[in-house]
Amino acid sequence: MTGATADAAPQPSRSRLEGPADPGSGAGDSAASPEAGSRFFQRLQRRYASQLPLLPAGAPTPASIAATFATLRAQGNPPGAALRILRQLVMHRLIVLDCAQQALEVITHGVTALAEFALDVACSEAFTELDSRHGAPMSSLGKRAQLWVVGMGKLGARELNVSSDIDLIYIYDEDGETTGTPDGRGRVSNQEYFSRAVRLIFGLIGDTTEHGFVFRVDLALRPNGNSGPPAVSLGALEEYFQVQGREWERFAWLKSRVIAPREAIDSGSARVLGGTVLPFVFRRYLDYNVFESLRTLHRQIRDHATRRSAGHPERANDVKLSRGGIREIEFTVQLLQVVRGGQFPELRTRPTLDALQRLARAGLMPQATAQALADAYVFLRRVEHRIQYLDDQQTHVLPTQDSDLGWIASTLGFASCCPFLSELDRHRELVAQEFDKLLAGAGEQECKGCNGNGKSLPSDFEALLEHLPEALRERIRHWCVHPRVAALRDDARVRLIRLIQRTALWVREGRISEEAAVRLVDWIEPLLRRESYLAMLLERPSVHERLLRLLGSARWPAHYLLQHPGVIDELASDFMLEERFSASDFERELEDRRNALRRTGEDDEEGLLNLLRRAHHAEVFRTLARDVEGHLSVEQVADDLSAMADIVLRVTARWCWERLRNKHRDEPLFGIIGYGKLGGKELGYGSDLDIVFVYEDDDERAPETYSAFVRKLINWLTVKTGEGDLFEIDTALRPNGGSGLLVTTFEAYANYQQQRGSNTAWTWEHQAMTRARFVLGSEPLRERFDAVRLAVIGATRDTKALHDEIVAMRERVRSAHPVAADRFDVKHSIGGMVDAEFAMQFLVLSKTATHPELADNVGNIALMHRAEQAGLVPPGIGSAAADAYRELRRVQHRARLNEEPTQVAPRELATERDAVTAFCKAVFG
């Protein structure tokens, strides 16, 4: 089990572990050992003393279990008896190991290995007997039909406790009939064959004999429960999921795993089951509808536990089902997995301890909380095991006898019962608080009197109108006759009414603006059919409020959220606003998700395209939320968006190359050069990427290979899927522009830029080179690019000719973007951003030869300061222009976020305009 936390209980002394009674051998004086407090252990010691040494020393493993079974069979024990004796030997060993403070997974894996082996043996025995009577079951392709034994719950997760029953579901791949016996008799349907196999397997595993049982078997989780057939076909299972599958069954199937027969696992035939199960458990969109289902299920479990303990107060202390018990940890983890596992495949894992760590890495739970829940889980499971060691009973209730309770405390390393019970209470209280916090949302924290007078919830929108502020009331009035609203199911309509009711309350309290409330209605109206978003906002009041603040702060976020509504779940994080984008974490998350898809066979091209888009959209939204909340400056937003684009390009290129057919090498000798906003690390929301592709590969197949590679890469970046697209790509800055090759050799690119030969770059292309940056490729190629760039921008030039060309180019750009005389355009007017950029490009191209500090691609603001420090402009001129340029960028950025014009009254930015104009005059004269 990966991700398991260290055992929190006190460790035994070295002398205890290394004393004469080896805890892995099963030998020693039981009366003097900690295990002696277990009545079950004492019975095993007496009954099987001569056979205990048959199990090899150490923790039970698949190999040692199989070897012991073979020995028992060689001694003349029939399969059923051999399995039962084997079970007793394994249990005896596990009690010894557990009391010696072995890790929890040693115990749970040992029990699980026994179950897997026993079911494999039982399948083999059943098939042998049935084949002799009926022949082999056949598929339509003439091959033997397959039966898959699916382990649910703790068995599927390899978390079985020492007295677990095993929840099984039997699935066979195809209907048909058996071949019959050689004389043509005994033919039955595959359904009948496998139903008989289930009964035979149960007899070998579950019947109680003189040696007890191997495992208690429960088939109640199968489709239609106890009224359903013992075995169902794959087609019937798929139909059941689509037509009758209930929400609680998704939690049951979350941990499902084919555990037998071994041949079906090894051959890979069982993998086909995942194609049916995964879409049922994990939905494509964030699925908050399951919250209410889990509340109902948990309420039923607690009610059942209450009824069981009525008149029996000792039953209330159940470490599994009582408040703060094991089940609440499992529910907490599984709820977060089911809600998000469709979009975040890295959360799909069966073991609870591993899932906790994955949830923490994904930012869905603080690491401290995940660790505390993991510690509680390990502690409660170890207590549960000791309860069951007492008498081999499937119980989770603390004993009432002082001697039994004292034994449990002492084998956990406590001096007496009091500190043990105190520690137990501490863990359970923490678990209960976290569980209640998770399930509170709409169910238990809904505001009281949200309609303003404490009356019951309005039954429709007409009744709700009188309680709404004026602008919101007029907007909601349209919903009274809106066909989408009328088409909602009753429970969805109630959710919507409660959501608007809460929103109106917050407007009255001044927590959010009425404009934000109206924008929420505008945003949610096209999404009414996606009821999971209503559920999410209702379940997460903090997300609801943060969304309203975001919508109230600017208009553009609403459009982004309409395109990618699932990203609002990012607002659930309490830490998101204070964090910054981490390129390394983003790249790791992308690879983790891809690996998760690979494990389930979902890493096809469409799956990877959607993975990239979902991840990028979520990161953009995080940056957007931090931006509008004022946590990031314009420069920081640009830095983060640019770093994000770099990672997307790197990961996409890597995945594309791996999937490229007919490639001639493992790693491409390839580079991406970024220009414009990408090159200058000034990307904004929705910016396209100005890119040039180059390669440095002498192989004769290189031109064709890299051309195919670049076409594939551009397609991956630009194609629209159900999750949208990533970027628009502009390759016009490649040598010879639109008429040039899509990808060229680096040598051809260098010759073009450095004026070698008859086909050379224009001045405007050298202007673009001032902001060029090597985005992707090998380090040697990066060094070659940096050398070419420095040679280009540091070349000695005819300053007057350069001056005239750049001024002429500036005039052409200005004439293409006319501005009214009474308006100032922050970008294109005289004294605007473009003026500052052209002036800086002229300085870089004309002065780098004598002032190499201008060569660095550090952005216009830093370069203006460097120009002043170098004496290229008068004191104060460069710094004033830098401040003005920063303010102009900020104004432009805010205007675009609020979908407002970037033209203002000249007086509003007169200081900034004059500062840029003074800078241009100092540069151009």
Side-chain angles (χ1 to χ4, degrees):
M1 181 183 299
T2 59
T5 55
D7 199 328
Q11 293 296 304
S13 67
R14 182 174 180 84
S15 60
R16 168 69 187 95
L17 286 177
E18 297 185 356
D22 179 357
S25 69
D29 180 5
S30 64
S33 64
E35 306 86 20
S38 161
R39 291 177 287 276
F40 178 40
F41 179 85
Q42 294 174 23
R43 292 198 302 270
L44 295 176
Q45 192 85 350
R46 290 192 299 267
R47 176 76 185 273
Y48 298 100
S50 64
Q51 293 163 305
L52 291 175
L54 296 180
L55 183 63
T61 65
S64 66
I65 288 171
T68 306
F69 177 78
T71 302
L72 291 167
R73 291 284 285 123
Q75 291 178 345
N77 294 290
L83 286 174
R84 282 158 177 76
I85 296 170
L86 175 64
R87 187 254 181 185
Q88 313 300 359
L89 305 187
V90 169
M91 290 300 133
H92 181 276
R93 177 65 50 78
L94 292 178
I95 295 174
V96 174
L97 292 170
D98 204 349
C99 290
Q101 314 301 331
Q102 291 289 312
L104 173 64
E105 61 264 30
V106 171
I107 311 304
T108 56
H109 285 192
V111 184
T112 303
L114 174 65
E116 292 170 344
F117 178 81
L119 284 164
D120 186 50
V121 170
C123 285
S124 179
E125 293 291 326
F127 296 160
T128 299
E129 180 174 338
L130 291 173
D131 283 2
S132 68
R133 296 181 197 169
H134 307 293
M138 303 303 290
S139 71
S140 59
L141 298 177
K143 297 181 178 180
R144 184 183 181 101
Q146 297 290 316
L147 176 72
W148 304 311
V149 183
V150 180
M152 309 291 282
K154 287 184 170 64
L155 175 56
R158 296 184 173 90
E159 295 172 331
L160 281 180
N161 61 52
V162 292
S163 194
S164 281
D165 59 357
I166 52 176
D167 294 298
L168 302 178
I169 296 178
Y170 294 89
I171 309 294
Y172 61 94
D173 61 349
E174 193 174 337
D175 284 313
E177 66 175 12
T178 64
T179 59
T181 59
D183 60 1
R185 303 163 68 90
R187 286 188 179 179
V188 295
S189 68
N190 287 358
Q191 166 75 49
E192 180 62 23
Y193 177 98
F194 290 122
S195 294
R196 294 180 182 182
V198 171
R199 288 190 284 273
L200 289 173
I201 293 168
F202 179 87
L204 279 166
I205 299 294
D207 283 350
T208 300
T209 72
E210 62 174 313
H211 294 292
F213 52 82
V214 187
F215 285 97
R216 305 175 186 91
V217 178
D218 191 340
L219 304 183
L221 290 177
R222 68 187 186 271
N224 297 305
N226 290 328
S227 63
V232 297
S233 69
L234 181 60
L237 177 68
E238 187 168 7
E239 182 179 359
Y240 176 83
F241 282 162
Q242 293 174 350
V243 177
Q244 300 181 57
R246 290 158 290 182
E247 294 291 349
W248 69 262
E249 290 178 287
R250 295 170 60 196
F251 292 93
W253 280 90
L254 172 64
K255 293 188 175 186
S256 65
R257 177 173 61 93
V258 175
I259 58 171
R262 190 71 236 174
E263 186 278 331
I265 299 171
D266 293 341
S267 69
S269 71
R271 292 177 188 166
V272 68
L273 184 60
T276 298
V277 174
L278 281 173
F280 173 66
V281 176
F282 301 110
R283 303 296 162 83
R284 179 180 176 187
Y285 298 105
L286 293 168
D287 188 8
Y288 275 79
N289 289 312
V290 297
F291 270 77
E292 193 57 42
S293 300
L294 186 59
R295 279 197 196 96
T296 301
L297 178 59
H298 183 254
R299 194 178 303 119
Q300 292 170 349
I301 291 172
R302 276 195 177 174
D303 289 346
H304 176 68
T306 301
R307 288 194 299 272
R308 283 183 67 248
S309 61
H312 300 276
E314 71 278 2
R315 295 180 182 174
N317 219 340
D318 190 313
V319 298
K320 178 179 179 181
L321 300 180
S322 294
R323 182 175 183 272
I326 296 166
R327 181 59 55 84
E328 292 193 352
I329 301 176
E330 294 171 338
F331 276 177
T332 298
V333 172
Q334 291 169 18
L335 179 59
L336 293 173
Q337 287 181 289
V338 169
V339 168
R340 295 172 174 84
Q343 290 204 352
F344 304 101
E346 69 272 24
L347 300 179
R348 303 175 192 172
T349 187
R350 298 179 183 92
T352 300
L353 293 174
D354 183 32
L356 279 167
Q357 297 309 313
R358 294 189 186 207
L359 291 169
R361 286 198 297 270
L364 300 176
M365 179 184 291
Q367 179 59 50
T369 300
Q371 188 60 53
L373 289 175
D375 292 343
Y377 181 80
V378 171
F379 183 84
L380 292 171
R381 289 298 307 274
R382 298 183 74 212
V383 173
E384 174 189 49
H385 285 171
R386 280 151 179 77
I387 292 171
Q388 294 170 351
Y389 291 149
L390 288 170
D391 293 296
D392 193 25
Q393 295 297 306
Q394 190 185 14
T395 179
H396 316 278
V397 178
L398 280 177
T400 55
Q401 294 290 328
D402 289 346
S403 58
D404 289 342
L405 200 60
W407 178 77
I408 291 174
S410 67
T411 58
L412 285 171
F414 293 93
S416 66
C417 292
C418 288
F420 159 65
L421 293 174
S422 175
E423 183 73 355
L424 177 63
D425 288 344
R426 183 183 69 82
H427 282 301
R428 289 172 60 177
E429 184 59 31
L430 179 140
V431 171
Q433 288 178 5
E434 290 301 323
F435 183 77
D436 291 344
K437 186 190 307 180
L438 181 67
L439 276 193
E444 298 173 22
Q445 286 187 344
E446 188 61 67
C447 56
K448 303 296 189 290
C450 282
N451 56 3
N453 54 18
K455 295 181 181 178
S456 61
L457 184 74
S459 59
D460 55 34
F461 286 101
E462 287 282 3
L464 181 63
L465 288 177
E466 62 181 282
H467 305 294
L468 302 181
E470 181 179 359
L472 183 59
R473 179 171 63 247
E474 293 308 308
R475 182 64 182 84
I476 292 296
R477 194 182 301 279
H478 296 290
W479 279 7
C480 297
V481 293
H482 198 293
R484 282 183 183 161
V485 176
L488 289 174
R489 295 182 298 117
D490 289 344
D491 58 342
R493 188 178 297 107
V494 169
R495 282 174 175 162
L496 189 57
I497 289 173
R498 292 172 70 184
L499 197 64
I500 298 304
Q501 191 179 38
R502 183 201 283 162
T503 302
L505 174 68
W506 289 347
V507 171
R508 288 196 297 272
E509 292 177 346
R511 289 164 67 171
I512 54 107
S513 68
E514 190 170 359
E515 183 179 21
V518 172
R519 287 179 183 173
L520 175 69
V521 175
D522 293 340
W523 171 75
I524 210 169
E525 185 174 286
L527 301 172
L528 286 175
R529 292 179 182 173
R530 300 187 186 181
E531 296 176 9
S532 61
Y533 295 117
L534 299 179
M536 173 167 52
L537 293 176
L538 199 61
E539 291 291 347
R540 289 286 174 261
S542 61
V543 173
H544 181 196
E545 185 173 5
R546 288 168 186 163
L547 174 63
L548 283 163
R549 287 207 311 267
L550 186 68
L551 294 173
S553 63
R555 291 190 179 92
W556 188 81
H559 294 297
Y560 191 80
L561 286 166
L562 195 58
Q563 291 178 299
H564 314 296
V567 300
I568 63 172
D569 190 58
E570 301 298 326
L571 293 173
S573 170
D574 293 329
F575 312 102
M576 183 264 291
L577 293 177
E578 283 71 38
E579 295 169 342
R580 282 288 300 276
F581 172 73
S582 167
S584 58
D585 288 349
F586 183 47
E587 186 168 6
R588 176 184 53 77
E589 288 168 7
L590 289 174
E591 291 296 347
D592 285 348
R593 291 178 192 175
R594 184 201 185 186
N595 290 335
L597 290 179
R598 182 186 289 131
R599 286 193 294 271
T600 56
E602 298 173 281
D603 61 332
D604 57 8
E605 190 159 305
E606 181 181 5
L608 296 182
L609 289 173
N610 286 331
L611 185 162
L612 287 165
R613 281 150 180 74
R614 282 193 295 265
H616 182 251
H617 297 156
E619 285 293 349
V620 169
F621 180 71
R622 291 187 188 114
T623 300
L624 174 63
R626 295 164 189 149
D627 180 10
V628 298
E629 290 279 0
H631 290 265
L632 298 178
S633 66
V634 177
E635 291 88 345
Q636 289 173 322
V637 170
D639 286 344
D640 288 357
L641 293 176
S642 300
M644 213 178 294
D646 287 359
I647 296 300
V648 170
L649 287 171
R650 181 159 64 207
V651 171
T652 306
R654 183 162 64 238
W655 293 358
C656 280
W657 184 262
E658 290 174 8
R659 304 175 78 89
L660 187 68
R661 297 177 182 175
N662 302 321
K663 58 179 179 284
H664 59 281
R665 60 174 67 251
D666 293 335
E667 297 292 334
L669 301 178
F670 169 82
I672 293 179
I673 300 167
Y675 281 83
K677 291 183 177 180
L678 175 64
K681 296 185 179 180
E682 294 180 351
L683 284 182
Y685 304 113
S687 293
D688 60 4
L689 304 184
D690 293 301
I691 284 176
V692 170
F693 302 102
V694 296
Y695 67 92
E696 191 175 42
D697 192 334
D698 294 331
D699 193 286
E700 62 182 9
R701 296 163 290 181
E704 182 178 351
T705 299
Y706 290 109
S707 180
F709 174 44
V710 167
R711 287 195 300 270
K712 185 178 187 71
L713 178 56
I714 291 176
N715 180 65
W716 273 47
L717 293 168
T718 60
V719 68
K720 288 188 180 296
T721 72
E723 300 290 342
D725 60 5
L726 286 169
F727 297 103
E728 291 295 324
I729 302 298
D730 189 340
T731 60
L733 285 168
R734 66 187 188 269
N736 298 306
S739 62
L741 296 173
L742 192 59
V743 55
T744 63
T745 65
F746 184 80
E747 183 179 8
Y749 169 83
N751 289 340
Y752 180 81
Q753 294 290 348
Q754 292 179 278
Q755 311 290 316
R756 297 174 185 154
S758 58
N759 181 32
T760 59
W762 296 79
T763 297
W764 66 267
E765 291 176 287
H766 285 172
Q767 288 178 252
M769 181 66 96
T770 64
R771 305 179 72 195
R773 178 171 62 90
F774 193 82
V775 173
L776 177 103
S778 67
E779 190 58 33
L781 194 56
R782 177 191 300 276
E783 292 171 358
R784 289 194 62 193
F785 165 77
D786 288 343
V788 169
R789 178 179 176 275
L790 182 59
V792 169
I793 64 177
T796 302
R797 288 178 169 83
D798 182 331
T799 302
K800 176 144 188 346
L802 178 66
H803 172 281
D804 293 346
E805 285 190 67
I806 289 180
V807 169
M809 175 64 72
R810 175 65 189 103
E811 290 304 319
R812 285 196 293 272
V813 171
R814 180 176 290 128
S815 63
H817 299 85
V819 180
D822 61 342
R823 307 302 291 168
F824 175 74
D825 188 299
V826 299
K827 182 174 182 180
H828 293 291
S829 288
I830 295 174
M833 294 167 62
V834 176
D835 273 359
E837 291 163 359
F838 269 75
M840 201 62 246
Q841 289 164 12
F842 172 72
L843 278 180
V844 170
L845 291 176
S846 63
K847 301 297 183 181
T848 295
T850 54
H851 296 278
E853 64 270 24
L854 298 180
D856 297 335
N857 186 358
V858 292
N860 287 308
I861 293 173
L863 288 174
M864 289 174 185
H865 284 293
R866 291 188 182 189
E868 180 179 314
Q869 292 163 4
L872 299 176
V873 295
I877 294 295
S879 55
D883 292 343
Y885 186 78
R886 178 182 288 111
E887 178 62 14
L888 293 174
R889 280 186 64 188
R890 190 193 66 79
V891 171
Q892 180 192 53
H893 183 72
R894 303 308 300 180
R896 288 177 174 174
L897 275 181
N898 213 31
E899 297 181 341
E900 296 173 344
T902 56
Q903 297 182 1
V904 300
R907 65 179 181 278
E908 292 184 27
L909 292 170
T911 300
E912 287 74 21
R913 178 197 61 198
D914 293 345
V916 172
T917 302
F919 181 75
C920 291
K921 182 174 178 59
V923 172
F924 289 121

